[in-house]
Amino acid sequence: MSHSLARLGDLARTLGRGNKDAPPPPGQLGREALRARREALVAEFARRQYDLGGLVYEMAARDHIRLDIVLRKAAELQQLDWELAAVEWSSKLGEQAAAGACPGCGRLFPEGAVFCPGCGRPLSGVNAERDAR
């Protein structure tokens, strides 16, 4: 099972690369655009989740489950889920004051953040620097 999960993660990372039609990062959207993007992502996530469930059901009913197809569809769903989480986080950040910007990628982060939400860089040094001022 862990091998399947590793493949799922690989597929999700592959799907996330090179998407030229992808919307701008959530941090670059305005409040109304974030709300509209969130609504669109929620609707798309629900549709794809429903489709994935139906796909697995139909495969099981025919006793012919194609794991490669299920993993690819699940990776696409996981990518949407990650994007939705980023949009929701950005909208919450917009409601609060940002504590600072990551020195690695420049993304804003909220008070108490341990890692950058954009690049994953540890922020403990950044927080200590800011507190010393």
Side-chain angles (χ1 to χ4, degrees):
M1 184 67 169
S2 64
H3 177 67
S4 296
L5 292 176
R7 286 185 56 206
L8 178 62
D10 291 342
L11 282 169
R13 282 187 290 282
T14 301
L15 288 170
R17 291 186 199 131
N19 188 355
K20 293 174 179 57
D21 297 328
Q28 296 177 1
L29 296 175
R31 185 171 291 210
E32 288 302 315
L34 274 174
R35 187 174 296 124
R37 183 71 185 143
R38 181 188 179 284
E39 289 174 10
L41 285 170
V42 166
E44 181 67 12
F45 183 85
R47 185 188 66 78
R48 287 192 187 199
Q49 191 175 36
Y50 181 82
D51 289 349
L52 180 59
L55 175 70
V56 171
Y57 173 79
E58 290 296 327
M59 287 179 176
R62 289 167 176 70
D63 198 27
H64 185 75
I65 294 182
R66 295 267 318 265
L67 190 57
D68 60 323
I69 294 172
V70 172
L71 287 175
R72 187 179 68 232
K73 296 293 184 182
E76 291 170 4
L77 187 63
Q78 188 176 32
Q79 185 68 31
L80 268 176
D81 191 31
W82 289 338
E83 187 177 346
L84 179 58
V87 167
E88 288 177 344
W89 185 87
S90 288
S91 64
K92 287 179 185 170
L93 179 61
E95 295 167 4
Q96 305 169 359
C102 174
C105 68
R107 185 104 178 248
L108 296 177
F109 60 87
E111 188 68 40
V114 179
F115 296 98
C116 172
C119 66
R121 179 182 181 152
L123 296 172
S124 57
V126 175
N127 288 332
E129 236 177 71
R130 191 187 69 251
D131 293 342
R133 287 185 219 155

